[in-house]
Structures are given as structure tokens and as C-alpha cells.
């Protein structure tokens, strides 16, 4: 079976300013159909090195293996998607702070 095509997406919303700097709350997640989500074991996100604990892992399939954090700028997140069959896919993703959070969340 061919490896599933994996992609990420994100939401962001402004937070109160800190020290005159604009901050955003953001959430990055796997954007895939349930059949693909069922094959994922975990997602390891590597954030910009200025973040405390820049390597973080999500194992919550019910939340699309999401990671939620806040910051002031856009950057490339590297996601290592580990599948249940033992394989791994590296998925780079540019965090876009202008993608609005859906009203339902």
C-alpha cells in the first residue's frame, strides 16, 4: 500500500499584545480524511528554536494530532508523522498567522 499523502493546516487568532508586540494563538493539525488519520500513531512537531521545549508530540487522534501554542511570528514547523506501520513522513509546514479560527472551535 502506498504511503498516504499527508498535509497540515492551521488556525490563528490575535491575542493581547505583550510588550508592544502582536501575539497570536495558533493551532496546527493534520488535515486528512479519517482513513488516513486511522493510520497515524503520533506527530512530532519541531518548532522554531526560540520556543521553550521546541520538540513536542501529539498522540490525540480525536483532535487531529493538533498542537496549540502562541507566538508573534510565522515560521516553518517540521512535523514528523509516525504511522502505525512503523514508517515516518517528514512534513514541513509554514505557519500562517492570517488563517482565521473557525467560529465553531
Amino acid at each position: 500500500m502506498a504511503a498516504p499523502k499527508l498535509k497540515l493546516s492551521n488556525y490563528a487568532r490575535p491575542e493581547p499584545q505583550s510588550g508592544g508586540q502582536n501575539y497570536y494563538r495558533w493551532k496546527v493539525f493534520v488535515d486528512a480524511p479519517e482513513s488516513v488519520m486511522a493510520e497515524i500513531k503520533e506527530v512530532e512537531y519541531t518548532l522554531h528554536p526560540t520556543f521553550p521545549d521546541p520538540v513536542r508530540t501529539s498522540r490525540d487522534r480525536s483532535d487531529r494530532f493538533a498542537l496549540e501554542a502562541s507566538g508573534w511570528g510565522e515560521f516553518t514547523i517540521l512535523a514528523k508523522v509516525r504511522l502505525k506501520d512503523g514508517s515516518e513522513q517528514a512534513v514541513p509546514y509554514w505557519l500562517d498567522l492570517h488563517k482565521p479560527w473557525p467560529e465553531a472551535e
Side-chain angles (χ1 to χ4, degrees), residues 3-24:
K5 177 73 174 146
L6 297 171
K7 70 177 194 167
L8 303 179
S9 191
N10 79 275
Y11 307 138
R13 64 176 162 231
E15 287 198 320
Q17 288 191 356
S18 174
Q21 180 78 294
N22 290 330
Y23 262 72
Y24 296 84

Side-chain angles (χ1 to χ4, degrees), residues 43-59:
V43 179
E44 179 185 278
Y45 296 97
T46 301
L47 308 178
H48 192 275
T50 57
F51 277 82
D53 302 317
V55 179
R56 305 177 189 186
T57 302
S58 175
R59 296 178 181 91

Side-chain angles (χ1 to χ4, degrees), residues 5 12-14 21 26 29 34 37-38 44 50 52-54 56 58 67 70 80 86-87 97-98 102:
K5 177 73 174 146
R13 64 176 162 231
Q21 180 78 294
W26 50 265
F29 54 91
E34 181 55 34
M37 299 294 271
E44 179 185 278
T50 57
D53 302 317
R56 305 177 189 186
S58 175
L67 173 68
S70 61
K80 287 183 186 172
S87 65
L97 297 178
H98 301 288

Side-chain angles (χ1 to χ4, degrees), residues 41-105:
K41 177 182 174 185
E42 65 185 17
V43 179
E44 179 185 278
Y45 296 97
T46 301
L47 308 178
H48 192 275
T50 57
F51 277 82
D53 302 317
V55 179
R56 305 177 189 186
T57 302
S58 175
R59 296 178 181 91
D60 186 359
R61 181 172 136 197
S62 69
D63 195 28
R64 298 180 285 179
F65 300 95
L67 173 68
E68 201 170 322
S70 61
W72 57 265
E74 297 181 343
F75 61 96
T76 298
I77 297 171
L78 179 60
K80 287 183 186 172
V81 180
R82 295 188 178 104
L83 303 176
K84 292 177 180 176
D85 69 4
S87 65
E88 181 176 287
Q89 290 186 38
V91 183
Y93 180 75
W94 182 257
L95 177 67
D96 182 352
L97 297 178
H98 301 288
K99 291 180 91 171
W101 212 287
E103 294 297 320
E105 284 212 13

